[in-house]
Amino acid sequence: MSVLTKSTICGTGTSNPQICTSQSTRGYATLKDISRRLKSVTNIQKITKSMKMVAASKYAKSERQLRAARGYGEGAVEFYDQCPPQPLEVTADQKHVAILISSDRGLCGGIHSSICKALKADLLKNSANVETRLVIIGDKARSILNRTHRNLYYLTYNNIGRLSPTFVDAAIIADQVVQSGMKFDFAQMYFNRFRSAVSYETTRKPIHSLESLQSAPGLDMYDGRTDEITQCFQEFMFASLIYYAIKEGNCSEQSARMTAMDAASKNAGEMIDRLRLQFNRTRQSVITNELIEIISGAAAV
């Protein structure tokens, strides 16, 4: 009774035993690669689902806090609407300040790049003689602008709102900007305004200097107004706007991250289905080839 081995089967079925052995090995290696890729994508899907759940929890908390924080920003905007300062257009020999509100974390779509795109579009419209300075909150916006606008940096901040943004964080930033002695003729704040769980809007808010506020014609309607009171009120409004923008940006970031992780989980699921189908087809092909080799060898004997 003869014993059939893999080498004798391959040697009987083909003129070159080495070719048959390499083809079989190549099939098993493909199955191993597909299995490894399938396991990797499955682990990634678990991570994205976990990040989606964390972002959803943080989004619900930030949305509740945003309702209370909007009073700060809307109050400042309403005050400026009732007592509009003298408008200052950006012309030559003026100082322009731009405050960008972002964060230190990514994986939330294009929420950070949209702020930088709005800033770059406005800088192209400004006159070449306008001196522009940037106050950047968050590492993401700083890293995006680091290559092209690094020479415009004036103040940069990070680790703001790592847990939950507070008015103290905004007050510290506003105080450091005021204490730095930075004078400006025109300033704008760029941030993402939360609209819904799946959308946000890149918004610009003007920031008025103390000189333009003191010259506002509607400010005379208030009794007991002095320069010191006006300065204190202007600093408080400045901190309130920063706090409002940080809260809006934080809520927009969490909603965008939740949406991005949901899309990533769906894409991973589709990739898992394709890999499983490819794995099953390849496995069936390898089994079929093995059966053909066994039957051919048995028939030859």
Side-chain angles (χ1 to χ4, degrees), residues 217-237:
L219 201 64
D220 296 333
M221 64 190 307
Y222 295 95
D223 297 333
R225 182 182 66 87
T226 62
D227 293 340
E228 182 179 359
I229 294 176
T230 304
Q231 181 179 357
C232 294
F233 190 76
Q234 191 269 344
E235 294 175 358
F236 176 75
M237 289 292 102

Side-chain angles (χ1 to χ4, degrees), residues 29-79:
T30 303
L31 281 176
K32 187 175 181 180
D33 292 340
I34 297 174
S35 178
R36 186 186 299 112
R37 181 72 184 279
L38 183 61
K39 183 178 179 180
S40 175
V41 176
T42 303
N43 292 334
I44 292 175
Q45 187 186 42
K46 293 179 181 178
I47 295 174
T48 55
K49 285 184 176 180
S50 300
M51 293 185 64
K52 175 189 174 183
M53 294 175 62
V54 173
S57 176
K58 291 184 177 179
Y59 160 70
K61 180 180 178 181
S62 60
E63 187 181 17
R64 290 194 302 266
Q65 295 177 349
L66 178 61
R67 298 192 188 100
R70 274 182 171 169
Y72 289 87
E74 292 175 354
V77 173
E78 184 177 358
F79 170 78

Side-chain angles (χ1 to χ4, degrees), residues 152-196:
L152 303 181
Y153 290 178
Y154 186 78
L155 292 173
T156 58
Y157 299 90
N158 58 2
N159 296 327
I160 299 297
R162 179 176 290 273
L163 297 178
S164 181
T166 61
F167 187 81
V168 176
D169 298 330
I172 291 174
I173 296 174
D175 182 68
Q176 290 182 357
V177 172
V178 173
Q179 295 298 328
S180 66
M182 180 176 56
K183 302 295 182 181
F184 59 89
D185 300 305
F186 180 81
Q188 273 188 322
M189 184 162 54
Y190 297 79
F191 63 97
N192 290 307
R193 186 177 184 274
F194 173 76
R195 297 183 61 184
S196 66

Side-chain angles (χ1 to χ4, degrees), residues 17 36 52 86 113 127 144 162 178 219 235 259 271 273 300:
R36 186 186 299 112
K52 175 189 174 183
Q86 294 295 330
S113 60
S127 174
I144 294 174
R162 179 176 290 273
V178 173
L219 201 64
E235 294 175 358
T259 304
M271 187 176 294
D273 294 338

